[in-house]
Each structure stands twice: as C-alpha cells, then as structure tokens.
Amino acid sequence: MTSMESLIQASQNALDTNHPIEALKHLVGILALNDEAKAETDAKRNARRRELVWWADQKITEISARFSMEAGDEWIKEDGTQRSGNIQDLAKGIGIMPVVRLLINYDYGKAVVADAPIHFSFVNGMGDITLTSATDSHGVASTIVRSISRTDKPVLIRAMLVISNRGKTKAFPEIHRDFTYIVPARTARIFASERPADEQSAGSLTMGAAASLIDSIGRALNGTGLELLPAASTLDPIIFFAALQGNFEAIQKACTLGGISVSYLVLADIQYDAPRQMVFNGKKYNIFTSTARTLLRIIRSDGRIVIARPLISIKGQGGTESAAIQSALIEARKAIEQDITSHVEEIKLALE
C-alpha cells in the first residue's frame, strides 16, 4: 500500500514536470503491485487498495486521452493525406519504413513526447520487424522491417503506445497509427520515337508518330504483367528525351500525362542514319542502305530504371532512300520485339 501511494505521488510529480510517459509507468506500476499482492483480509485496507487502483486506472485514462500519434513527414502527401508504401520496395529494404510522431495535447497547445515506447507489429502479413522503439527528443520513433513473408498481398503494420513496468504491460490501442503497403498496380504507358540520327530531337511525339513501334512493343510485353494504358495526349520531345536519360521530373510528368498516373514508362527510341547509295567501280546503283539503332528502357515512376536493353544496330536496304529508311525501321521494330519477347521472364522478375 505504501508503495502504491508512493507511485501515485511520483506520477503526479512527473506530470507536473511534463513527463507523461514516466507518469504512466508509475501508474502501470500500481496495477502491477495490485496483481502481485495477496488479497486483503482487512476491510479498510481492501477499500483503500481498491481506491488506489481505481485512481490509477482513471489517471491512465485521463492522460492517454491527451495523446495523438501521427505518421512521419515522409508519409504525408501534398494534400495532407497519408500515402501507402510499396510492398515490393519494403521487401527489398528500399521502401519507406514506418515512422511516427507522438504528441500530447495540453491546454496551451501540443507538445512532442519523448522516451515513449512504441510497439510495431504486423496486423496483416508476416515478417521480421524491430518490435519496439522509443521516441526521441522530437517525439519520433521508427522501426526497421528486415523481411516480409510474401509480396503478393498487402501488408499492414501498426504502431502503438505500450507501457510496461514491473512485468505489467498496458497497451493503448486508441493511440496507434497504421501503415499500409500495397501491391503496386503494374500500369504502364509506352512512348516511342523514330528519328534521323542527325536530329537532336524528335518532332511532335504522339501515338501516331511511332504507332508501329508502339504496337510491336505492346505485343512483346504480353505476359510481363504490365497493364498498358494508352497515351491520351502528346508528350513533349524535351520531356521524352529527359525521361529517357533518367530525369526524375520528366519521368513524373510522363507518368501523370493526361491526369491518369501509371507505375511504369516504356520508352523506346530508334535513330536511323542518312541512306547511302551503293557505288561500285564508280557506277551508282539504285540500292540504298540505312543503319538503325534501338534503345529501350522501362522506368518506374520513382525514377528507377528497371530494364535497360542493350543497343541493337541493324541495317535496312531499298531501291530508294525512303525505302532504305523504311526497311531499317521495320527491321529495328522487329529486333526490339524479338529482344523483349526473348527476355519476358527477366522483365517479369525485374518488375517484382
């Protein structure tokens, strides 16, 4: 009884000095003492003990009602809502980890809460996770997910305030924050360019500008799991080539073109040389050749290049300059389609 009364005074002192977690630990200690001690035979002692336990319960409820838990800044989107994580990134250890900030509401405003033990656990899914982390001086606590059992189903990780003292644990389910990791939709949009090698940029890039190339790529990507969405509007050549070189801002613009976001970009570029006429023993023949070179990349919306196929160089031939160029383009399209088709499994694995 004396220890209980001492802990009540200690909890009040902790509250008076703005140490709410310490106060809660003292109060949980009272509950632990009550569990440890034998039943009282004296009616007055029993009544006093019940009074102390009731007071501790009430004070725990009163203090915990002031707490709120927020997601870390990296989890908050521009519109103020909480984003979802990518389960595939989480499995690879490159995704954003659960991060929370614990706050307490006083009459004069909110303050961060330090030294609070935050328990992290899987609500949906299974994996290896750091279970407990204490908030720092900024009220922030985080965990590390070392592995997850599977990546084909969403995962939900919950952060919760849990106080322990003298072997007694008190969880506060009302003070929690959930983090969802989803299986990303494998939507993609194809942009392609066919251009003379001596031009610095393609003209106006529309679906019609390289429709045959886009069709070839689309056929080859069947079986990769990508859901191909049409391009609703023209992609500026500057954005196209910047995205092809890995510029993140350009990639973001291309991924959100037309107001419908995609997870991946499939970018293909064919450059062809000016046709050369065959000359033999000083005599010119109506045989023209042109060499085309292909470049194909699959880029994720976060800027990571998932697939970068090696450069393919191929030659076309025709009776006119125009026919030679068309021949080179046809052969280049076939080469790209065959290259993708022969590496479908590799592409599927890279997308996982």
Side-chain angles (χ1 to χ4, degrees):
M1 206 82 72
T2 300
S3 296
M4 286 183 176
E5 290 174 345
S6 175
L7 287 172
I8 283 180
Q9 184 58 52
S11 70
Q12 189 58 53
N13 291 340
L15 278 179
D16 291 342
T17 55
N18 294 329
H19 293 90
I21 298 300
E22 183 181 344
L24 285 175
K25 287 182 178 179
H26 292 319
L27 295 171
V28 172
I30 294 173
L31 303 183
L33 284 171
N34 184 58
D35 291 344
E36 296 169 8
K38 297 179 181 179
E40 301 292 341
T41 56
D42 182 84
K44 288 185 178 180
R45 285 180 56 83
N46 186 54
R48 176 57 178 161
R49 180 168 157 184
R50 291 179 63 183
E51 180 184 3
L52 291 172
V53 172
W54 176 88
W55 192 92
D57 272 328
Q58 291 296 109
K59 204 65 180 176
I60 287 173
T61 301
E62 177 187 322
I63 297 172
S64 63
R66 296 183 180 183
F67 285 108
S68 61
M69 188 178 290
E70 301 177 349
D73 294 340
E74 55 268 54
W75 283 89
I76 306 303
K77 296 189 290 187
E78 292 182 358
D79 61 3
T81 59
Q82 185 174 328
R83 71 177 73 251
S84 295
N86 184 318
I87 193 171
Q88 294 171 0
D89 285 347
L90 184 67
K92 296 174 182 177
I94 59 175
I96 53 176
M97 297 292 170
V99 179
V100 297
R101 180 181 293 105
L102 188 63
L103 303 169
I104 187 168
N105 188 20
Y106 292 112
D107 293 337
Y108 56 80
K110 290 185 177 182
V112 297
V113 181
D115 301 320
I118 307 299
H119 181 77
F120 294 89
S121 62
F122 285 91
V123 176
N124 293 328
M126 297 178 62
D128 183 10
I129 187 173
T130 302
L131 295 176
T132 303
S133 175
T135 56
D136 60 17
S137 58
H138 302 288
V140 174
S142 62
T143 188
I144 297 175
V145 179
R146 288 176 285 273
S147 66
I148 54 176
S149 59
R150 56 192 301 175
T151 60
D152 59 340
K153 290 187 176 181
V155 161
L156 190 150
I157 297 174
R158 176 167 294 169
M160 183 187 302
L161 177 65
V162 177
I163 303 291
S164 297
N165 193 8
R166 297 180 64 94
K168 177 78 172 179
T169 297
K170 172 71 174 176
F172 296 85
E174 69 279 7
I175 307 171
H176 77 275
R177 175 61 58 175
D178 289 340
F179 298 90
T180 302
Y181 292 85
I182 60 175
V183 180
R186 295 180 182 177
T187 54
R189 189 176 287 127
I190 303 172
F191 291 108
S193 167
E194 296 175 344
R195 62 194 174 98
D198 58 356
E199 288 190 6
Q200 295 300 311
S201 64
S204 178
L205 291 174
T206 66
M207 292 295 289
S212 296
L213 175 57
I214 290 171
D215 289 343
S216 298
I217 295 171
R219 286 192 300 269
L221 289 173
N222 283 335
T224 61
L226 284 175
E227 179 187 352
L228 300 177
L229 302 183
S233 56
T234 300
L235 181 64
D236 186 278
I238 295 176
I239 297 175
F240 174 86
F241 289 108
L244 194 63
Q245 297 304 316
N247 180 277
F248 181 70
E249 185 178 353
I251 291 168
Q252 288 288 297
K253 288 181 179 179
C255 282
T256 57
L257 190 68
I260 300 176
S261 298
V262 294
S263 304
Y264 296 91
L265 291 177
V266 181
L267 303 178
D269 182 40
I270 296 179
Q271 301 179 42
Y272 55 87
D273 293 334
R276 299 178 62 182
Q277 187 174 15
M278 179 179 288
V279 179
F280 185 71
N281 291 333
K283 182 179 179 180
K284 294 182 178 181
Y285 294 85
N286 289 332
I287 301 174
F288 296 84
T289 60
S290 176
T291 300
R293 288 167 296 279
T294 69
L295 179 64
L296 178 86
R297 287 180 177 171
I298 300 178
I299 305 175
R300 207 167 65 179
S301 59
D302 62 3
R304 187 164 63 92
I305 297 177
V306 179
I307 290 291
R309 296 304 306 153
L311 187 74
I312 300 173
S313 181
I314 200 159
K315 185 174 290 187
Q317 179 178 305
T320 64
E321 291 187 355
S322 176
I325 291 173
Q326 288 305 312
S327 175
L329 289 175
I330 290 171
E331 294 304 316
R333 295 166 195 155
K334 289 180 181 178
I336 286 180
E337 184 171 354
Q338 291 170 359
D339 182 66
I340 295 173
T341 301
S342 61
H343 293 87
V344 165
E345 292 303 318
E346 179 184 334
I347 294 172
K348 284 176 62 176
L349 186 61
L351 294 173
E352 292 180 354

